[in-house]
Amino acid sequence: MSMTSESDDRMTSNVGVDSPSVEEACGGGNTGGGLPLKKGPWTSAEDAILVDYVTKHGEGNWNAVQKHSGLARCGKSCRLRWANHLRPDLKKGAFTPEEERRIIELHAKMGNKWARMAADLPGRTDNEIKNYWNTRIKRRQRAGLPVYPPDICFQAISENKQNEELGAFSSTDAQYPDFLPMNNYEIPAVEFKNLEFNQQLCPPPLLDIPSGSLLDIPARSLLAQGLNSAYYSRSFLSTVHPTKRMRGSESVFSGLNDDSSPLKNNDSFPSCHQYQNDGSLLAQSLGFSSSYYRNLTSDHHPTSLGVIPGSHAHLNGNSSSSEPSRAKKLELPSLQSQMASWGLSSSPLPSLESVDTLIQSPPTDQTESCNLSPRNSGLLDAVLYEAQTMRASKNNLQQESSDDVVDNSCPDLHETGWETYGDPISPLGHSAASVFSEYTPTSGSSSEEPQLLTMPGCKVKQEKFDFGPYDGKEDASNPIFSRPDYLLDSNCFSPMQNYVRTIWR
DNA sequence: AATATCTGCAACCGCAGGTCG
DNA sequence: TCGACCTGCGGTTGCAGATAT
């Protein structure tokens, strides 16, 4: 859409003149000496004036532009117009595939730092990138697709693995040192700025959250958190009773776990703990979503379609995504406050599990008796935990931790895991079956058509995993990514990554 | 063909941080 | 130190074109 090519007359007639609010928005009441400031689309004549002025005087001092050139535009508007449309070094046209991929990579690392991303994409503006991303997010959310391609998740994992091994910041950190102070315990505020749980990461039946989402959290930050062995050895590999660790959160999530908290109402969330056992949710933690998963859970738990009391929607107390940004910033979501409070305190960093547990599952008898392992969180931390466990599998650590955990060293995870966790009644069980069976190379899921999988006690509709980046053309039906051991085990990482790259492209 | 809905983009808005007097 | 001003950033909105009904 090129406004400048439109009729100037029409534009002029359509565009309202400035108002006091505009003056305020445009930098402190700069009215241009009484000249009413214009709003709305720019005309080609205005563009010409602006280009001419900037050519002669250079960029900057934008209010002077309005003063000296006679443009009835506030300096802010001039700057925006110049930066986004008139700059000679701007690259026009659609993003190239390379640029698109770069954007995704950058977003995985930075989050919504559009200006930073623009600096890394010559000729592109932050606005352009932002629009692109938002459009892409919407599109993929509608399609129930993950936002981050798996290989980018792997990339982030890989970088953090390197961090872990080298004990130093990755090159990425060096590249963006100011906003990636990612050490073992420090969580950049930006990472959780928009920490809202989204259907991509949490089962929609459990959480009804407005847009703006965990998707905005850079994948890298999620991943980075969990990849520190020291952290895991301290807080995950320990067999702290979940309820005890829960209490650690209670102090912060005050009111959430008190006796009146609906979170304790187990009846509201049947089999919730099983979500945490479910590989599909693990996959979702990495953005590997399954629309089938959602459908299933929706079908099976119609009563939980609303907002969970105590879920982030409530924690936040800021359910409207259109709330003024200031309110968002001043009134941190509880989770964010939690994150901030963790900081470098001497206490072990509460895991995402805590968050997840709070949101997804009330402490139940079953969870108390069985879920001694963070794997049960079902979120990224669980993936990472399992990876750590895999590394330590030679020592059989995981078996010591709990009788209820999946033996990840078992090469037949899709069977063992299924039998162990696949509650034939639980939608999670179904989901897990779907995931694991799809993983099975011999599952015969090559067909484009959804398949019915007969599992012990249940019938599972097999749905294709679509990791297609933008057009959904790729055949990425193999949910191998959901396997934490494959995600993180260094022995299989590279071929896995190659595989993912292959199917993603 | 008319209307409704969706989509993408340009521009606006409010805020924060920096600079300067 | 304080306030005014400037600049930049990220979120949001409004509109025109595209697509669906």
Side-chain angles (χ1 to χ4, degrees), chain A residues 316-365:
Chain A
N316 196 347
N318 182 13
S319 58
S320 170
S321 62
S322 61
E323 286 231 5
S325 57
R326 180 174 202 100
K328 291 177 187 173
K329 286 169 184 172
L330 293 177
E331 220 174 288
L332 291 179
S334 298
L335 293 179
Q336 187 175 345
S337 304
Q338 169 84 56
M339 300 303 179
S341 70
W342 290 336
L344 293 168
S345 82
S346 57
S347 59
L349 178 66
S351 64
L352 284 174
E353 170 212 5
S354 304
V355 175
D356 185 47
T357 303
L358 281 167
I359 291 174
Q360 293 191 42
S361 176
T364 65
D365 291 344

Side-chain angles (χ1 to χ4, degrees), chain A residues 211-234:
Chain A
S211 64
S213 67
L214 200 56
L215 297 176
D216 288 341
I217 300 175
R220 184 176 182 279
S221 69
L222 292 174
L223 299 166
Q225 243 201 107
L227 282 168
N228 181 273
S229 57
Y231 168 60
Y232 273 90
S233 65
R234 276 168 53 184

Side-chain angles (χ1 to χ4, degrees), chain A residues 239-313:
Chain A
T239 54
V240 178
H241 195 282
T243 56
K244 289 181 181 177
R245 282 186 286 139
M246 186 80 137
R247 294 191 192 285
S249 301
E250 284 177 8
S251 61
V252 180
F253 291 87
S254 57
L256 285 178
N257 289 321
D258 59 18
D259 291 335
S260 62
S261 170
L263 279 173
K264 288 200 169 183
N265 183 2
N266 192 30
D267 294 337
S268 301
F269 312 107
S271 304
C272 274
H273 67 282
Q274 291 175 19
Y275 281 88
Q276 301 174 344
N277 296 334
D278 184 13
S280 66
L281 191 54
L282 303 183
Q284 287 194 353
S285 300
L286 290 173
F288 309 159
S289 70
S290 164
S291 55
Y292 162 62
Y293 176 74
R294 289 196 300 278
N295 293 338
L296 265 178
T297 51
S298 299
D299 293 340
H300 284 261
H301 298 289
T303 59
S304 58
L305 278 167
V307 176
I308 286 186
S311 71
H312 185 65

